[in-house]
Amino acid sequence: MIDLYSLTLEQLADLLESWGEPRFRAKQIWTWLYEKRVASLDAMSDLPKKLRERLNAETQLGTLDVETELSSADGTLKRLYRLADGQLIESVLMEYDDERRTACISTQAGCAMGCVFCATGQMGFSRHLTGTEIFEQALYFARDLEVRGERLSNVVFMGMGEPFHNYEPTLEAVRRLMSDLGIGARHITVSTVGLVPMIKRFADEGLQVKLAVSLHAATDAERDALLPVNKRYPLHELISACRTYIEKSGRRMSFEWTLIQGENDTPEQAHALGSLLRGLKCHVNVIPLNPTGGYHGGPSASGRIEAFIAVLEEYGIPATVRIRRGIDINAGCGQLKSAVLNRRKIKVGGAPESD
Ligand code: SAH
Ligand code: SF4
């Protein structure tokens, strides 16, 4: 089976030509795929019946299979997809009161970076996703929204995996989000744990895509303990690469700081962060830890979060608390997959309940 979403317009025209069809049909099909966003070949009503039959026999619309789907009281939808080779990945759709509809997508099955508090890091690395597999996660949500007359407006690369460890496919997906789904660069955010050479490369792409760097600690000793990648790319190199990105893109970037009670939430650590980022055009997103099975820590209490942000204000650094959405449905990175796998170990079968 040929996945139609894996073809360029040119490749689609070549395929149709090889079937004895006129090349202009490719544009017609393209409109159904990416503008009308239909989920079935039968919906392509202006195609000749014979062509539709051949498409049905030899092609498919996407390779992702929904394994489990959970929706949260706060309007968050979480999906576990099974890929063609059986790998499981997660995507989340977040709906806000305004028009915003944000997809959070994965770039790898598992992750090789081993951040201690992250459910995906705790699983280890399985494989890279292809550009099409990354792109399709957003496209599937866009298709579902289309049925309700809504549009996918934003995409964040904050699901499973490290986008810059899978650089080319990630960039391919970013470009297709812009060209095929019409999502503006400013509505796309790529989050990285801090792979310095790739941050520099990304700065040279000339895209207006938002960059987020997961910092979580402001001294090398503390960051080494949470994010093993820091031993390879220590803070001074990371911040210097971020400075380059800000200069070249002209954009403000953001830093992610997962607040872990008693671990990285003291006023001293907030001062260290303030000094580290002073003068950089940036924003800090503070996210209370979503506890995971493989890590002892817990989220900071609200008083400590407020105190942390107040210190950053002294340094002129804007900071916002991001409450993790879909907590009741394991919407943290990698958590639905761990929950499903754990449950399978205990009892096989039965739909996973939200916990
Ligand atoms: N690999 C990339 C993107 C995916 S993770 C990265 O690390 O940036 C997206 C964000 O979720 C990162 O900032 C990551 O540190 C954070 N995160 C991972 N596990 C978390 C948890 N259990 N609680 C809160 N944030 C978590
Ligand atoms: Fe990988 Fe990001 Fe999780 Fe670290 S936080 S293990 S880089 S997915």
Side-chain angles (χ1 to χ4, degrees):
M1 286 286 221
I2 301 165
D3 179 9
L4 287 185
Y5 297 137
S6 72
L7 304 179
T8 61
L9 181 58
E10 196 61 24
Q11 288 167 335
L12 180 58
D14 290 345
L15 175 73
L16 295 171
E17 196 170 50
S18 75
W19 291 358
E21 296 284 343
R23 291 182 72 85
F24 74 79
R25 293 261 181 243
K27 188 72 214 354
Q28 215 175 330
I29 293 173
W30 198 262
T31 305
W32 286 110
L33 294 177
Y34 302 115
E35 277 166 44
K36 299 182 186 160
R37 302 173 184 185
V38 294
S40 96
L41 291 158
D42 291 324
M44 302 186 180
S45 52
D46 61 358
L47 298 182
K49 190 155 172 277
K50 185 177 71 75
L51 173 57
R52 248 185 297 156
E53 278 167 5
R54 181 140 193 203
L55 285 168
N56 262 319
E58 297 183 33
T59 71
Q60 61 187 122
L61 294 184
T63 56
L64 313 178
D65 272 332
V66 179
E67 170 87 6
T68 307
E69 189 175 79
L70 295 172
S71 49
S72 164
D74 65 12
T76 303
L77 176 74
K78 174 123 193 174
R79 263 194 201 149
L80 187 67
Y81 285 115
R82 177 175 293 275
L83 305 180
D85 65 350
Q87 290 293 337
L88 298 172
I89 57 157
E90 300 177 5
S91 315
V92 183
L93 179 68
M94 290 164 284
E95 304 193 10
Y96 297 88
D97 290 338
D98 53 19
E99 301 269 281
R100 235 170 348 135
R101 300 286 176 267
T102 302
C104 175
I105 61 177
S106 298
T107 55
Q108 299 176 317
C111 184
M113 300 298 133
C115 306
V116 296
F117 52 79
C118 170
T120 308
Q122 290 157 15
M123 281 170 208
F125 177 72
S126 297
R127 76 161 166 90
H128 294 300
L129 302 192
T130 64
T132 305
E133 285 169 332
I134 301 171
F135 171 69
E136 282 180 358
Q137 296 168 60
L139 180 56
Y140 276 36
F141 285 136
R143 279 191 335 202
D144 298 344
L145 288 167
E146 196 70 26
V147 175
R148 294 191 255 146
E150 295 175 4
R151 285 253 142 176
L152 182 68
S153 61
N154 297 65
V155 177
V156 297
F157 287 70
M158 293 188 182
M160 296 166 74
E162 167 50 39
F164 284 175
H165 182 215
N166 188 20
Y167 189 87
E168 306 275 0
T170 293
L171 262 278
E172 181 193 325
V174 165
R175 292 209 160 89
R176 293 194 63 190
L177 291 173
M178 296 191 287
S179 63
D180 300 349
L181 290 186
I183 297 174
R186 290 185 157 78
H187 294 143
I188 299 173
T189 304
V190 175
S191 175
T192 177
V193 71
L195 301 186
V196 166
M198 297 305 159
I199 294 175
K200 291 182 183 158
R201 188 166 160 194
F202 193 64
D204 287 330
E205 302 282 353
L207 295 169
Q208 291 289 298
V209 168
K210 281 198 226 163
L211 181 65
V213 167
S214 299
L215 213 48
H216 311 312
T219 66
D220 281 321
E222 286 164 322
R223 200 163 186 269
D224 284 352
L226 293 175
L227 284 64
V229 74
N230 193 68
K231 295 184 191 120
R232 183 121 162 250
Y233 303 115
L235 279 168
H236 70 275
E237 286 181 31
L238 177 58
I239 298 301
S240 146
C242 292
R243 190 166 284 118
T244 305
Y245 178 82
I246 293 166
E247 281 163 10
K248 287 199 177 161
S249 69
R251 304 220 50 196
R252 178 181 297 275
M253 58 170 291
S254 51
F255 292 98
E256 309 287 309
W257 190 285
T258 293
L259 269 182
I260 310 165
Q261 173 98 355
E263 182 73 35
N264 64 354
D265 65 349
T266 64
E268 294 73 44
Q269 283 154 320
H271 280 289
L273 177 59
S275 310
L276 188 70
L277 301 184
R278 201 202 309 254
L280 274 186
K281 203 167 134 191
C282 68
H283 183 101
V284 174
N285 288 319
V286 167
I287 310 140
L289 179 79
N290 212 0
T292 53
Y295 182 66
H296 60 83
S300 302
S302 59
R304 294 176 77 109
I305 300 174
E306 281 158 30
F308 194 89
I309 287 181
V311 172
L312 294 182
E313 268 168 19
E314 292 172 27
Y315 291 80
I317 298 168
T320 317
V321 188
R322 307 266 178 215
I323 300 301
R324 285 222 155 235
R325 293 176 55 114
I327 292 268
D328 55 337
I329 53 163
N330 293 306
C333 166
Q335 291 191 296
L336 179 59
K337 178 173 167 186
S338 330
V340 169
L341 293 181
N342 282 336
R343 225 170 261 126
R344 278 207 195 120
K345 273 182 216 147
I346 304 161
K347 66 173 173 50
V348 179
E353 63 286 355
S354 49
D355 54 8

